[in-house]
Amino acid sequence: MRIPCPYCGARSSHEFAYLGDAAPTRPDPSAPDAAEAFHSYVYERDNPAGPMDELWYHSAGCRRWLKVTRDTRTHAITAVAFAGTGEGGR
Amino acid sequence: MSDLLEHIAPTRLVPEGHYGPEGATGVSARAANTSASPLAAATLVARKGATGRLIVACAAAGLPLADAPRSSGGAGLEAVGTGPGRWLVLAEGMSGPDLVARLAGMAQGLAAITDQSDAHLILDICGERARAALEKGVTVDLEPTVFRAGDAATTVVSHVGVTFWQRDGATYRFAVGRSFAPAFLRWLTVSAAEFGFALAGTGRG
Ligand SMILES: [Zn+2]
């Protein structure tokens, strides 16, 4: 599988480290239901058959986190962007 | 790895010399940063949100930068994009501290600058069959219509992280982490030997 990095170009997936689902966002630790929210954040994952947003780290290239939309059935990648909001994902 | 390297310690640089068939030299490589020819290196990393302003400041000081995997030269420096807002900058015949001071003057506080002069073995690889040898381990497309003079890549070759760029039509310059350089040179030597490989600048290994 080759991942089209927005900076580096298409690269073999072995240059990347895989984190997984890009959907979970860190809960507010001061919220009253923080313990339950963190349990869900850390452990609970969907397992979709189809397109999924995932986080990949280009550890052997530009060292940026990418948000990759990949079809889990075919490995077809339909979108890639730097994760985060700043320039270059920072 | 092969009989060729049987008597060379894996922890030492491959010694300079000729490897492969006598009389043929399809690939040549030379270490560019030796004690005889110092080559300073530093990383230049834009502060958060300052990439555009850093590029303007450096261009005004004579060093054009591209926020892309490209190399550029100016003001006696060579800059290579290694990631968004990040460059590796080389300077021939300059000391590391002098290069850092020079870049600090150019960057006007818009970048973090770190001396990397001891970090890499810088290796210039050229020759008619250089691309044929490199293609055995480089997974970036080196076809000349795709990877052209000035293009750069940070990638993995034989499990070793490298940054390399094409300096002109014929020469690829590789920056390899110094402690990984023996392993990289072993890969290069066995990959290039079939074409005849001349290695210089690594001393007696
Ligand atoms: Zn990348």
Side-chain angles (χ1 to χ4, degrees):
Chain A
M1 186 171 81
R2 283 168 82 80
I3 298 174
C5 172
Y7 185 88
C8 302
R11 294 296 178 83
S12 165
S13 60
H14 81 240
E15 291 191 5
F16 297 79
Y18 180 66
L19 185 83
D21 195 344
T25 54
R26 189 179 170 81
D28 176 4
S30 62
D33 65 342
E36 264 186 54
F38 266 93
H39 182 274
S40 170
Y41 169 67
V42 171
Y43 295 110
E44 292 174 5
R45 291 292 180 272
D46 293 333
N47 185 23
M52 182 183 180
D53 287 344
E54 303 173 323
L55 291 170
W56 292 79
Y57 177 60
H58 199 182
S59 53
C62 62
R63 302 187 207 164
R64 286 286 172 261
W65 283 97
L66 308 182
K67 192 163 109 176
V68 177
T69 308
R70 177 181 69 101
D71 191 312
T72 58
R73 296 164 303 184
T74 63
H75 298 307
I77 292 171
T78 50
V80 183
F82 291 119
T85 50
E87 58 181 15
R90 288 187 296 167
Chain B
M1 207 167 189
S2 89
D3 295 349
L4 194 64
L5 300 174
E6 199 178 351
H7 301 292
I8 298 171
T11 51
R12 309 284 297 271
L13 295 179
V14 176
E16 59 191 15
H18 190 277
Y19 298 84
E22 301 278 338
T25 304
V27 184
S28 300
R30 172 176 288 276
N33 54 339
T34 62
S35 49
S37 61
L39 184 61
T43 46
L44 177 71
V45 182
R47 303 253 179 232
K48 205 166 187 175
T51 299
R53 281 179 290 147
L54 176 66
I55 290 172
V56 170
C58 288
L63 178 64
L65 295 174
D67 194 17
R70 295 273 304 161
S71 68
S72 55
L77 307 176
E78 182 176 30
V80 184
T82 56
R86 272 214 341 252
W87 294 267
L88 175 67
V89 183
L90 305 182
E92 306 219 4
M94 199 183 276
S95 77
D98 285 351
L99 173 59
V100 168
R102 181 86 184 283
L103 288 172
M106 285 183 165
Q108 299 172 10
L110 297 168
I113 297 154
T114 312
D115 188 359
Q116 302 287 356
S117 301
D118 294 333
H120 305 105
L121 176 74
I122 308 290
L123 200 63
D124 288 331
I125 303 171
C126 62
E128 248 169 51
R129 307 307 303 277
R131 187 156 60 88
L134 292 174
E135 279 171 351
K136 296 182 188 182
V138 174
T139 63
V140 173
D141 191 354
L142 295 178
E143 161 62 35
T145 57
V146 178
F147 198 87
R148 286 165 292 192
D151 281 343
T154 298
T155 183
V156 172
V157 176
S158 187
H159 304 281
V160 176
V162 302
T163 293
F164 73 93
W165 58 104
Q166 195 171 336
R167 298 189 84 197
D168 51 47
T171 305
Y172 300 89
R173 174 165 273 194
F174 276 71
V176 184
R178 187 166 296 277
S179 56
F180 292 94
F184 179 81
L185 276 172
R186 291 174 80 85
W187 168 80
L188 180 64
T189 302
V190 296
S191 298
E194 68 162 305
F195 309 113
F197 177 50
L199 177 62
T202 55
R204 294 159 68 189

